[in-house]
Amino acid sequence: DVKVTQSSRYLVKRTGEKVFLECVQDMDHENMFWYRQDPGLGLRLIYFSYDVKMKEKGDIPEGYSVSREKKERFSLILESASTNQTSMYLCASSPQVRGLGGYTFGSGTRLTVV
Amino acid sequence: AQTVTQSQPEMSVQEAETVTLSCTYDTSESDYYLFWYKQPPSRQMILVIRQEAYKQQNATENRFSVNFQKAAKSFSLKISDSQLGDAAMYFCAYPSGYALNFGKGTSLLVTP
């Protein structure tokens, strides 16, 4: 079974901490994505990457950065965590640009910033 | 900006009945794909069905089918013979730029 693995299911961090959310896929996909999911707002794109060391901002990149040093790993970084970044974070990967083949999702990380 | 709209925040259906979830989208493209994803309480997002816009025929996957109206930019999901395991959030999605753009979701409740 193909998989996207997010390292933590639940995470609690303090305001001002630097937070790393890790995502690893074993499908040799070129494209990887980070979304945040909030009730009533659906999924909003934070960043995506279509190749190693390549990254593009999504719709809500403020307060976040990403790293993709290897094809299989895409990390989301909260430079200085704030309470308004409390959310569900979903990682996804896709073999085709624009997600045309559909996404494979990780199981999500629920982050609480206190 | 291209948008995907799900006008029903919540829907309810009885077991064995049929329910239709609505989705409209806005695009100027002529060739594209549309998707429905399911997110059960376990949080794992699962692809339910995919429709290719250039195909006239509506996609079907077992009890799940779509009603794709290209001119109206409408892409509804029909679930037949609903089961308790169908209870979930359902998201409609459309490719925009390099990524999928998701609607806000419809929460489906299935009652015995």
Side-chain angles (χ1 to χ4, degrees), chain B:
Chain B
Q2 294 173 324
T3 59
V4 179
T5 303
Q6 293 180 248
S7 58
Q8 306 150 316
E10 293 180 351
M11 291 283 285
S12 182
V13 63
Q14 278 195 315
E15 255 186 308
E17 297 295 310
T18 295
V19 65
T20 299
L21 309 183
S22 300
C23 174
T24 59
Y25 58 95
D26 180 21
T27 180
S28 56
E29 298 183 33
S30 59
D31 190 18
Y32 47 90
Y33 293 76
L34 294 159
F35 303 88
W36 278 99
Y37 282 87
K38 171 185 177 181
Q39 186 182 42
S42 68
R43 303 184 338 208
Q44 182 68 53
M45 291 276 278
I46 303 161
L47 177 64
V48 175
I49 200 164
R50 180 177 82 163
Q51 174 75 45
E52 298 170 63
Y54 66 87
K55 288 190 175 179
Q56 300 276 359
Q57 190 171 6
N58 289 325
T60 299
E61 289 285 343
N62 301 314
R63 297 181 296 106
F64 298 88
S65 61
V66 301
N67 182 5
F68 175 49
Q69 304 287 332
K70 190 173 183 179
K73 297 180 182 176
S74 171
F75 179 57
S76 59
L77 175 70
K78 185 170 85 170
I79 306 173
S80 304
D81 186 25
S82 296
Q83 301 175 357
L84 293 177
D86 295 332
M89 283 291 291
Y90 287 83
F91 294 94
C92 175
Y94 158 78
S96 176
Y98 274 95
L100 292 183
N101 188 14
F102 289 82
K104 294 182 179 180
T106 296
S107 178
L108 179 66
L109 174 68
V110 181
T111 57

Side-chain angles (χ1 to χ4, degrees), chain A residues 63-76:
Chain A
Y64 303 95
S65 63
V66 290
S67 172
R68 194 167 182 201
E69 296 295 321
K70 293 185 178 181
K71 192 175 187 179
E72 67 270 18
R73 186 180 296 271
F74 191 36
S75 302
L76 179 68

Side-chain angles (χ1 to χ4, degrees), chain A residues 1-107:
Chain A
D1 240 2
V2 295
K3 275 192 177 165
V4 175
T5 303
Q6 293 184 232
S7 54
S8 302
R9 192 158 173 83
Y10 297 95
L11 213 49
V12 179
K13 295 292 181 180
R14 295 195 179 278
T15 302
E17 275 193 76
K18 190 169 186 176
V19 181
F20 293 84
L21 302 183
E22 306 288 345
C23 177
V24 177
Q25 51 100 359
D26 64 1
M27 298 164 285
D28 201 34
H29 286 173
E30 302 286 345
N31 309 281
M32 296 187 74
F33 309 85
W34 276 105
Y35 288 82
R36 67 177 279 176
Q37 181 181 5
D38 300 287
L41 298 178
L43 280 71
R44 294 179 291 167
L45 181 66
I46 306 172
Y47 266 96
F48 64 94
S49 169
Y50 52 89
D51 201 353
V52 176
K53 297 190 186 291
M54 305 300 290
K55 57 188 178 184
E56 293 287 342
K57 293 179 181 179
D59 299 319
I60 52 164
E62 296 78 19
Y64 303 95
S65 63
V66 290
S67 172
R68 194 167 182 201
E69 296 295 321
K70 293 185 178 181
K71 192 175 187 179
E72 67 270 18
R73 186 180 296 271
F74 191 36
S75 302
L76 179 68
I77 304 159
L78 285 67
E79 297 292 342
S80 177
S82 64
T83 54
N84 62 15
Q85 292 178 310
T86 292
S87 186
M88 171 77 77
Y89 290 88
L90 293 172
C91 176
S93 72
S94 174
Q96 296 173 272
V97 295
R98 309 185 72 207
L100 294 181
Y103 286 174
T104 300
F105 281 90
S107 55

